[in-house]
Amino acid sequence: MLLGSDSAIPSLRSGEGPIEMSDEMIYVTQPTMPPLEEFLPYLERIWSTKQLTNNGPLHQELELSLRGHLGVDDIVLYSNGTIALLAALRALRLEGEVLTTPFSFIATSHALRWSGLQPVFVDVEEAGFNLDPNALEAAITPKTSAILAVHCYGYPCDSAAIQNVADRHGLKVVYDAAHAFGVEDEGGSILRHGDLSTLSFHATKVFTTLEGGAVVCREPEMRQTLCDLKNFGIADQVRVVDTGINGKLNEMGAAFGLLQLKYLNQAIERRKEVDTLYRQLLSDIPGVTVPPLPAVRLHNYSYFPVLITREFSMSRDGLYEFMKANGVHPRRYFYPLITNQVMYQNENGAAPSKLPRATRLAEQILCLPIYPDLEARDIEAIVAVVRRAAQMSAALP
Ligand code: T4K
């Protein structure tokens, strides 16, 4: 870990006492690499079959394995989570306006725009990260066709309440479940909720295929539509039945995914340990609020979000810069809000006055590093940096 820098941001050097730190920068996440020697047989298989993409054997094997692992009816793999979202919106033949959250990665709203749909922004829950079901109804117009919700950080949306609104108004429900791999409530995988759920298997996610994604669906007809959509809409050698796209996951990614799956439970167990240690160590720092874990049967510990409130000795951004200057790179997921970006700021519901909770959340949020290989001494060092920041506010500009 870097001890200090030449920037104007105070470093630990201006604090008291040494903090035990590793030599390298600690980033918000890091993929878990499976043993290299276990990847080589997969490469040999790919080399011998020469099947590199287009629904190859490893792709098929991964789909089957994921269906079992996640306990979902069906799953269709994609080249990334954004294309999976585009395909889900297309498969449901949505039109007009879609209610969505401003507190997400930009891809959530971009997918609507790329699909010719108009995002209408709705605030998040009072004490949570997700769409407020009670605020949905007021945003519905005759043009509304769907709700696009996000299980932010793997914290489940109130799916029953969202479905209730959708049913009363004849709306489809799509979950951007990019963060929710493996999360289960009492009824099983939360990916079963809504009409379709989409996943991201990006390198920064709990489960990765390098780049990758998926759509979770139920009926065979929907599966067929989703499979057609990711392969240009090609049904056979002479018929194109849909305006599809190239959204295919390749064999290298599928192989990596198969190997990741083997070690996934272990990796999530490690994430849980990281989460537990953070909660212990951060519990007495004023102004650092650690939101309670979601009430689920299985959580994936994909992120470690904290809120930096007024009681903390410096602003959230001050702490963020201080941490970077001291070898830790947390992230402000998701600041700024999507609605603060120029292409969305004039959309319905985008005015900050209509999004007071999301606005506050974006100002307070900080995601601390969490990944399976993060060692206890790193976590202790990260918390020591936060603690030092809490003690040295007077030194700040
Ligand atoms: N919906 C939601 C709610 C999402 O969060 C996302 C993606 C999507 C949809 C779209 O899914 P994809 O089309 O991406 O499959 C990252 C990811 O690129 C993005 O996938 C993710 N959400 C978003 C929340 O985070 P950045 O810009 O923060 O990534 P980056 O490159 O700064 O990576 C963060 C840290 O991870 C780095 O500081 C170091 C580490 N890292 C990263 C990569 C790429 C590694 O150690 N190895 C790596 O290969 O966006």
Side-chain angles (χ1 to χ4, degrees):
M1 186 182 281
L2 304 171
L3 271 176
S5 74
D6 295 335
S7 78
I9 307 300
S11 80
L12 288 176
R13 284 181 181 143
S14 50
E16 280 172 25
I19 292 175
E20 182 67 22
M21 307 179 112
S22 39
D23 296 332
E24 298 192 343
M25 188 81 168
I26 298 181
Y27 293 102
V28 69
T29 190
Q30 188 182 89
T32 311
M33 302 305 286
L36 185 56
E37 61 276 15
E38 293 189 30
F39 196 54
L40 297 179
Y42 284 102
L43 293 182
E44 283 163 5
R45 268 174 76 180
I46 294 170
W47 256 246
S48 73
T49 62
K50 299 185 174 61
Q51 180 89 33
L52 304 183
T53 184
N54 288 13
N55 199 25
L58 295 169
H59 177 289
Q60 292 177 33
E61 201 178 321
L62 182 61
E63 265 186 357
L64 266 180
S65 302
L66 284 175
R67 200 185 302 167
H69 180 93
L70 294 168
V72 293
D73 290 337
D74 215 338
I75 184 164
V76 177
L77 297 177
Y78 275 86
S79 52
N80 62 59
T82 306
I83 301 280
L85 254 178
L86 290 179
L89 300 172
R90 174 70 61 127
L92 293 170
R93 313 293 169 201
L94 300 180
E95 288 179 350
E97 298 174 0
V98 176
L99 309 186
T100 192
T101 172
F103 191 73
S104 183
F105 189 57
I106 196 76
T108 309
S109 286
H110 277 359
L112 293 173
R113 269 286 174 78
W114 273 72
S115 306
L117 296 162
Q118 193 181 344
V120 173
F121 295 97
V122 173
D123 209 355
V124 297
E125 300 155 309
E126 173 60 39
F129 308 113
N130 299 326
L131 264 185
D132 177 6
N134 298 316
L136 287 170
E137 215 134 18
I140 294 174
T141 74
K143 290 186 192 159
T144 312
S145 63
I147 300 166
L148 173 57
V150 178
H151 300 296
C152 194
Y153 313 134
Y155 281 61
C157 293
D158 185 346
S159 299
I162 290 176
Q163 196 60 54
N164 195 290
V165 175
D167 289 345
R168 273 188 284 123
H169 295 272
L171 308 178
K172 300 284 186 196
V173 180
V174 178
Y175 284 103
D176 177 344
H179 305 174
F181 188 98
V183 178
E184 293 186 10
D185 60 21
E186 287 312 313
S189 170
I190 67 167
L191 303 172
R192 74 187 186 285
H193 296 305
D195 292 277
L196 294 172
S197 290
T198 66
L199 289 160
S200 164
F201 302 153
H202 183 257
T204 53
K205 296 296 190 287
V206 164
F207 167 79
T208 177
T209 55
L210 313 177
E211 288 274 2
V215 183
V216 171
C217 61
R218 284 186 285 269
E219 302 84 14
E221 305 89 274
M222 179 53 82
R223 178 184 174 76
Q224 191 55 55
T225 302
L226 289 164
C227 288
D228 290 344
L229 277 172
K230 72 171 165 183
N231 190 28
F232 312 99
I234 294 174
D236 56 40
Q237 302 225 329
V238 288
R239 274 181 327 127
V240 177
V241 294
D242 213 337
T243 316
I245 198 165
N246 183 352
K248 292 165 277 128
L249 182 73
N250 66 55
E251 289 290 274
M252 211 71 91
F256 199 82
L258 282 164
L259 209 42
Q260 279 263 315
L261 216 43
K262 184 174 164 191
Y263 294 98
L264 196 67
N265 290 343
Q266 213 174 304
I268 289 180
E269 207 40 52
R270 271 293 301 136
R271 284 177 176 273
K272 184 178 177 181
E273 287 167 16
V274 173
D275 181 287
T276 305
L277 185 55
Y278 265 135
R279 281 171 198 278
Q280 282 166 14
L281 298 177
L282 289 166
S283 63
D284 65 342
I285 305 183
V288 178
T289 300
V290 182
L293 282 166
V296 290
R297 190 168 71 188
L298 261 185
H299 188 43
N300 64 13
Y301 307 91
S302 47
Y303 292 83
F304 192 82
V306 298
L307 304 175
I308 307 304
T309 62
R310 282 222 179 99
E311 294 72 49
F312 196 73
S313 53
M314 60 175 82
S315 68
R316 185 278 313 272
D317 289 344
L319 175 61
Y320 170 71
E321 295 298 344
F322 180 80
M323 292 182 80
K324 280 202 298 176
N326 286 286
V328 186
H329 197 163
R331 292 297 284 266
R332 294 167 293 185
Y333 295 134
F334 292 99
Y335 163 84
L337 290 178
I338 291 176
T339 42
N340 287 345
Q341 303 297 346
V342 281
M343 71 288 280
Y344 296 114
Q345 65 191 5
N346 296 321
E347 290 290 4
N348 286 345
S353 59
K354 294 197 166 179
L355 303 168
R357 296 169 182 165
T359 302
R360 190 180 59 225
L361 190 54
E363 281 164 6
Q364 296 182 337
I365 196 75
L366 196 63
C367 288
L368 300 186
I370 184 165
Y371 49 89
D373 292 335
L374 195 64
E375 295 176 17
R377 70 183 184 116
D378 293 325
I379 302 161
E380 283 160 8
I382 292 165
V383 175
V385 175
V386 177
R387 198 177 289 284
R388 185 65 58 84
Q391 290 161 354
M392 63 182 303
S393 62
L396 276 176

